[in-house]
mmCIF file of all heavy atoms in Angstrom:
data_model
loop_
_atom_site.group_PDB
_atom_site.id
_atom_site.type_symbol
_atom_site.label_atom_id
_atom_site.label_comp_id
_atom_site.label_asym_id
_atom_site.label_seq_id
_atom_site.Cartn_x
_atom_site.Cartn_y
_atom_site.Cartn_z
ATOM 1 N N VAL G 1578 183.322 110.239 117.831
ATOM 2 C CA VAL G 1578 182.124 109.553 117.338
ATOM 3 C C VAL G 1578 182.012 108.115 117.859
ATOM 4 O O VAL G 1578 180.928 107.704 118.287
ATOM 5 C CB VAL G 1578 182.037 109.618 115.798
ATOM 6 C CG1 VAL G 1578 180.895 108.761 115.267
ATOM 7 C CG2 VAL G 1578 181.873 111.056 115.345
ATOM 8 N N PRO G 1579 183.085 107.305 117.872
ATOM 9 C CA PRO G 1579 182.926 105.956 118.432
ATOM 10 C C PRO G 1579 182.438 105.969 119.881
ATOM 11 O O PRO G 1579 181.604 105.144 120.264
ATOM 12 C CB PRO G 1579 184.323 105.338 118.328
ATOM 13 C CG PRO G 1579 184.957 106.071 117.202
ATOM 14 C CD PRO G 1579 184.429 107.476 117.286
ATOM 15 N N GLY G 1580 182.927 106.893 120.666
ATOM 16 C CA GLY G 1580 182.460 106.997 122.046
ATOM 17 C C GLY G 1580 181.003 107.413 122.128
ATOM 18 O O GLY G 1580 180.254 106.923 122.972
ATOM 19 N N LEU G 1581 180.601 108.317 121.248
ATOM 20 C CA LEU G 1581 179.199 108.752 121.243
ATOM 21 C C LEU G 1581 178.267 107.617 120.797
ATOM 22 O O LEU G 1581 177.129 107.523 121.263
ATOM 23 C CB LEU G 1581 179.024 109.977 120.349
ATOM 24 C CG LEU G 1581 179.697 111.259 120.844
ATOM 25 C CD1 LEU G 1581 179.544 112.376 119.818
ATOM 26 C CD2 LEU G 1581 179.137 111.680 122.198
ATOM 27 N N LEU G 1582 178.756 106.763 119.900
ATOM 28 C CA LEU G 1582 177.946 105.619 119.474
ATOM 29 C C LEU G 1582 177.769 104.600 120.601
ATOM 30 O O LEU G 1582 176.835 103.797 120.571
ATOM 31 C CB LEU G 1582 178.569 104.952 118.243
ATOM 32 C CG LEU G 1582 178.515 105.771 116.952
ATOM 33 C CD1 LEU G 1582 179.304 105.076 115.851
ATOM 34 C CD2 LEU G 1582 177.084 106.018 116.516
ATOM 35 N N ASN G 1583 178.648 104.628 121.576
ATOM 36 C CA ASN G 1583 178.520 103.739 122.737
ATOM 37 C C ASN G 1583 177.487 104.224 123.749
ATOM 38 O O ASN G 1583 177.043 103.448 124.597
ATOM 39 C CB ASN G 1583 179.863 103.611 123.464
ATOM 40 C CG ASN G 1583 180.821 102.677 122.779
ATOM 41 O OD1 ASN G 1583 180.436 101.838 121.989
ATOM 42 N ND2 ASN G 1583 182.091 102.828 123.090
ATOM 43 N N VAL G 1584 177.111 105.480 123.694
ATOM 44 C CA VAL G 1584 176.252 106.074 124.718
ATOM 45 C C VAL G 1584 174.920 105.328 124.891
ATOM 46 O O VAL G 1584 174.519 105.067 126.035
ATOM 47 C CB VAL G 1584 176.031 107.582 124.473
ATOM 48 C CG1 VAL G 1584 174.954 108.143 125.384
ATOM 49 C CG2 VAL G 1584 177.337 108.343 124.663
ATOM 50 N N PRO G 1585 174.190 104.951 123.830
ATOM 51 C CA PRO G 1585 172.905 104.271 124.065
ATOM 52 C C PRO G 1585 173.027 102.974 124.862
ATOM 53 O O PRO G 1585 172.215 102.710 125.761
ATOM 54 C CB PRO G 1585 172.366 104.005 122.656
ATOM 55 C CG PRO G 1585 173.017 105.024 121.799
ATOM 56 C CD PRO G 1585 174.379 105.245 122.395
ATOM 57 N N VAL G 1586 174.030 102.166 124.572
ATOM 58 C CA VAL G 1586 174.213 100.908 125.303
ATOM 59 C C VAL G 1586 174.570 101.198 126.754
ATOM 60 O O VAL G 1586 174.028 100.580 127.676
ATOM 61 C CB VAL G 1586 175.294 100.034 124.623
ATOM 62 C CG1 VAL G 1586 175.678 98.854 125.502
ATOM 63 C CG2 VAL G 1586 174.797 99.550 123.269
ATOM 64 N N PHE G 1587 175.449 102.170 126.982
ATOM 65 C CA PHE G 1587 175.829 102.531 128.345
ATOM 66 C C PHE G 1587 174.639 103.118 129.104
ATOM 67 O O PHE G 1587 174.456 102.848 130.287
ATOM 68 C CB PHE G 1587 176.992 103.525 128.326
ATOM 69 C CG PHE G 1587 178.344 102.889 128.168
ATOM 70 C CD1 PHE G 1587 178.719 102.269 126.994
ATOM 71 C CD2 PHE G 1587 179.255 102.923 129.211
ATOM 72 C CE1 PHE G 1587 179.965 101.696 126.844
ATOM 73 C CE2 PHE G 1587 180.512 102.350 129.084
ATOM 74 C CZ PHE G 1587 180.869 101.730 127.890
ATOM 75 N N ALA G 1588 173.826 103.923 128.427
ATOM 76 C CA ALA G 1588 172.654 104.518 129.077
ATOM 77 C C ALA G 1588 171.656 103.441 129.483
ATOM 78 O O ALA G 1588 171.090 103.486 130.585
ATOM 79 C CB ALA G 1588 171.990 105.536 128.148
ATOM 80 N N PHE G 1589 171.442 102.465 128.623
ATOM 81 C CA PHE G 1589 170.526 101.371 128.951
ATOM 82 C C PHE G 1589 171.067 100.567 130.134
ATOM 83 O O PHE G 1589 170.315 100.214 131.049
ATOM 84 C CB PHE G 1589 170.313 100.469 127.732
ATOM 85 C CG PHE G 1589 169.316 99.384 127.950
ATOM 86 C CD1 PHE G 1589 167.965 99.673 128.069
ATOM 87 C CD2 PHE G 1589 169.721 98.061 128.058
ATOM 88 C CE1 PHE G 1589 167.031 98.678 128.283
ATOM 89 C CE2 PHE G 1589 168.804 97.054 128.275
ATOM 90 C CZ PHE G 1589 167.457 97.356 128.385
#
Side-chain angles (χ1 to χ4, degrees):
V1578 173
L1581 293 176
L1582 291 173
N1583 282 340
V1584 170
V1586 169
F1587 278 68
F1589 184 70

